[in-house]
Amino acid sequence: MAENQTKPKTQTKLKLVIDIIIFLVFLITMDPHSSGITIHEWLATSAIAALVVHLLLSWDWIVQITRRFVGRVNGLSRINYILDWLLFIDGTVIMLSGFMISESLLPFLGISLPRNFVWRPLHDLSANLFLLLLGLHTALHWGWIVDAFKRYVFQPIAKLFWADREKDLTA
Amino acid sequence: MKTIGKIFIILVAFVVVMGITYLVVNASETSTEMTQFENGERPQFSDDERPSFEDERTEFPGGDFDGQPEGRHERGVGGWMFGLIKNIGIVAIVTVLIALPRTLLRNRKRSAPAATE
């Protein structure tokens, strides 16, 4: 029983950490002129692993909604599900177009792909769209984000602070 | 084993979307070229500007290419900060526009039954 309770707790913690990492990576990769193209490409590619973990942690929800999508699902879950698919598709388009115009990663691996002038505008467009979709995704999960931050960031910090104060008072 | 299966499904979905995108982009490019030739149009660049696809990088006239490969023209700390704040700002605005009315609506719903009691 206790194990069952601690599992979601650690999962939520892990999810929060992964989501923060993804958000930070996204912010850095959104500005390749500042980070440099090498960091931009390697960081974005390594973010695939974090995105896979993010999807694995939400797997039960994805399966549940996929099964019930046509039938009985509340409106918000349906919107969330469609939005998540749009994010997945857009993220994949960013990755593919990024690989097609790669200047650092693929040449380093010795891979050369045929050039096509469509990929660059597609990369820019899908990245800008991703920013909007990410805003929507964040907004729809705002309650969860606030709860998780309260529980795993603010409360532990407050506890540390108050424990120190109590120690000072008793001394 | 279960986790490997899940990862496999995610990667398959990833590859399928990539494949569809690649086909769509190539098909649209081919159809554009066909329409140009059917209309008797020529590509917009002259002989000396014609891109040679043997080059490592090809740039087309009219683009925002400034003579340096993309990403090499790095900005200072100010530019980096501006980009960062701009991106956070966009996400924050979208979030506030949606999350705030939802929270207000939920609070009103919660307070309505309490007021009637």
Side-chain angles (χ1 to χ4, degrees), chain A residues 61-105:
Chain A
W61 182 85
I62 296 168
V63 172
Q64 212 180 354
I65 304 295
T66 307
R67 279 188 187 147
R68 297 188 307 169
F69 187 75
V70 188
R72 284 174 59 191
V73 180
N74 69 46
L76 191 67
S77 297
R78 194 166 279 161
I79 292 169
N80 253 322
Y81 186 77
I82 294 168
L83 184 71
D84 290 353
W85 264 108
L86 287 176
L87 265 169
F88 182 79
I89 293 168
D90 193 42
T92 311
V93 172
I94 295 176
M95 282 290 166
L96 177 67
S97 52
F99 287 139
M100 297 308 288
I101 57 172
S102 172
E103 289 174 14
S104 169
L105 181 80

Side-chain angles (χ1 to χ4, degrees), chain B residues 53-96:
Chain B
F53 289 96
E54 289 156 9
D55 288 351
E56 195 187 336
R57 184 180 172 84
T58 307
E59 290 298 336
F60 292 86
D64 58 355
F65 185 60
D66 62 1
Q68 281 183 305
E70 204 263 332
R72 305 265 165 82
H73 39 104
E74 288 169 13
R75 298 191 303 207
V77 181
W80 183 77
M81 285 299 284
F82 175 74
L84 195 73
I85 290 167
K86 187 193 79 183
N87 292 331
I88 292 175
I90 293 168
V91 175
I93 288 168
V94 176
T95 306
V96 167

